Amino acid sequence: MISYVIRRILMLVPTLIGITLVSFLILQLVPGDPARTIAGLEAEEEDIEAIRHQLGLDKPIIVQYGIFLKNVTKGEFGQSIRTQNDVVAEIWPRFINTLKLALASILISLFIGLIIGSVAAIRQNTIVDYTSMVFVLLGISTPTFWSGLLIILVFSVFLGWFPSGGSEGLISLVLPAITLAAPSAAVTARMTRSSMLEVFRQDYIRTARAKGQKESKVIYKHALKNALIPTTTIVGLQFGYLMGGAVLVETVFTWPGLGRLIVDSIYTRDYPVVQGGVILFAFGFVLANLVVDILYIYLDPRISYE
């Protein structure tokens, strides 16, 4: 178990280096000159060249990437071009806000998705099953920016239960977390239903029922745990989607997350902040998949990693 975790962590190194390379090269291809942005439209060419030299932008691309990679390994992303603040100090509070939103959405989607998926599988081909699948279809096909506006209209404007935006404590987290969780809950419910129906056909389920075990024990001890293996894979992938998909929800609910900061930084050609935010997002996604791989061992001890 420990050796497997160590091997998986070591396998992350080339992946993370690849992420830094791709994020660096893509930003090099984006039109615009950061030095000219800093100097302003009325600046002399000598001043622009001086800023370019100060930022190291006059060096060959490979040298710039080497410096960038060295700084990343030390947790340094430079200074924001727009605000001149340290990039880490600027993106970290925003990343924490996005992480809170993503984790709250994962918990909500798991709670709703597992319940709906399990009930739909247990009541297969009944009105409960058909109704559940209709809600699943609505959850998958409804865009988050539209469902977010609808939720604001109902729960904030008409009922006045929650604020329509901002970050004033946990109550401000409720509506954006539900909005972001809806598509993920629908996918989780669908996967849970399919997995449980597959598990119900297995011999060990028939054996457990033949031994006279209670139906609740058969469902929750034998069926649900084994059905969670493919669902766990989906949840791991959904975490990356939630981190990236939070950009739209953060904009609708004016939530001060990392997604909004990256979008604003792209408009102002603030490359260090964009690079730092993208790499932090990617690292979070890679670590989430590492946690999913480790969870497989707990959910199914038959899986061997030797």
Side-chain angles (χ1 to χ4, degrees):
M1 172 75 177
I2 295 177
S3 61
Y4 167 74
V5 174
I6 293 174
R7 284 203 306 274
R8 285 287 290 113
I9 292 175
L10 292 177
M11 288 168 62
L12 294 181
V13 175
T15 304
L16 297 177
I17 292 176
I19 290 170
T20 61
L21 179 61
V22 171
S23 63
F24 177 82
L25 291 178
I26 287 178
L27 285 179
Q28 295 297 318
L29 298 175
V30 174
D33 186 352
R36 190 174 293 279
T37 303
I38 296 173
L41 296 176
E42 306 295 331
E44 300 289 338
E45 196 62 33
E46 293 78 11
D47 297 330
I48 297 173
E49 285 299 326
I51 294 174
R52 190 173 288 122
H53 177 72
Q54 181 184 356
L55 295 176
L57 299 176
D58 55 348
K59 293 183 172 62
I61 292 293
I62 186 67
V63 176
Q64 291 184 44
Y65 175 69
I67 296 172
F68 171 70
L69 186 60
K70 179 183 176 184
N71 291 333
V72 169
T73 58
K74 295 189 293 185
E76 299 175 358
F77 293 92
Q79 288 183 320
S80 166
I81 292 174
R82 182 165 49 93
T83 64
Q84 297 300 308
N85 294 329
D86 183 73
V87 169
V88 175
E90 192 149 325
I91 66 175
W92 186 251
R94 297 296 197 100
F95 177 73
I96 295 298
N97 284 337
T98 298
L99 192 61
K100 288 178 185 175
L101 181 60
L103 290 176
S105 301
I106 280 286
L107 293 176
I108 293 172
S109 66
L110 273 177
F111 180 74
I112 296 174
L114 289 177
I115 289 178
I116 292 179
S118 302
V119 172
I122 295 168
R123 305 293 184 189
Q124 187 187 14
N125 297 330
T126 64
I127 187 66
V128 175
D129 185 19
Y130 299 143
T131 306
S132 301
M133 289 304 102
V134 168
F135 280 107
V136 165
L137 189 59
L138 284 174
I140 293 175
S141 57
T142 305
T144 52
F145 65 86
W146 188 84
S147 59
L149 293 175
L150 186 64
I151 286 176
I152 289 176
L153 188 66
V154 174
F155 293 100
S156 182
V157 177
F158 289 154
L159 299 177
W161 290 353
F162 302 98
S164 60
S167 58
E168 300 171 359
L170 287 177
I171 194 168
S172 300
L173 190 62
V174 176
L175 295 187
I178 291 175
T179 303
L180 193 59
S184 182
V187 174
T188 303
R190 194 165 186 170
M191 179 58 69
T192 302
R193 178 183 179 276
S194 302
S195 301
M196 286 198 71
L197 290 176
E198 183 67 27
V199 171
F200 281 153
R201 301 188 187 98
Q202 301 300 314
D203 291 338
Y204 60 86
I205 295 295
R206 282 193 287 270
T207 302
R209 284 172 171 160
K211 287 181 177 179
Q213 292 189 357
K214 292 181 179 178
E215 187 63 17
S216 59
K217 188 176 181 180
V218 172
I219 292 172
Y220 296 109
K221 183 178 179 181
H222 299 290
L224 184 58
K225 183 179 178 181
N226 288 287
L228 282 178
I229 296 173
T231 304
T232 304
T233 306
I234 294 297
V235 171
L237 296 174
Q238 287 290 312
F239 184 77
Y241 159 78
L242 292 175
M243 295 285 286
V247 176
L248 280 176
V249 176
E250 289 173 0
T251 303
V252 171
F253 290 92
T254 61
W255 181 259
L258 185 56
R260 282 187 64 204
L261 179 64
I262 291 177
V263 171
D264 293 341
S265 301
I266 290 173
Y267 286 135
T268 57
R269 304 286 190 272
D270 198 346
Y271 295 160
V273 173
V274 177
Q275 284 176 328
V278 170
I279 289 173
L280 206 53
F281 265 144
F283 280 18
F285 182 72
V286 169
L287 289 177
N289 279 274
L290 173 65
V291 172
V292 168
D293 285 348
I294 295 173
L295 279 177
Y296 283 157
I297 302 174
Y298 168 74
L299 292 173
D300 191 353
R302 295 171 300 175
I303 297 176
S304 172
Y305 293 99
E306 296 299 333

